[in-house]
Amino acid sequence: DAQESRGLGDVYKRQQQAKNHANQAANNANQAANQAANQAANNANQAVNKAANKAEKVSKYVSCCL
């Protein structure tokens, strides 16, 4: 019985280790996804700002010179 109990303890330890590794992998994946989403949002914001700046320049030119 003692040997079997020890064996079950080892199984439990391995299950906990596997669970911890799976949780860490999930956390890493979430962090990578969040970073990618943030970078995409930043890129989109930069593109919108550039377009708005160009539109403002065109608007000023049209009102000034045409």
Side-chain angles (χ1 to χ4, degrees):
D1 281 347
Q3 181 68 26
E4 183 179 337
S5 177
R6 184 172 151 222
L8 291 175
D10 290 343
V11 169
Y12 175 76
K13 281 184 191 176
R14 285 193 299 273
Q15 286 175 339
Q16 284 300 109
Q17 288 173 344
K19 184 177 178 181
N20 290 341
H21 287 301
N23 285 337
Q24 186 61 48
N27 288 337
N28 290 345
N30 284 334
Q31 185 177 15
N34 287 336
Q35 287 174 348
N38 287 337
Q39 186 61 49
N42 288 338
N43 291 345
N45 285 334
Q46 287 176 358
V48 167
N49 289 336
K50 284 181 183 180
N53 288 338
K54 286 182 181 182
E56 184 179 355
K57 287 178 183 178
V58 168
S59 177
K60 285 180 182 178
Y61 175 78
V62 169
S63 64
C64 162
C65 305
L66 292 183

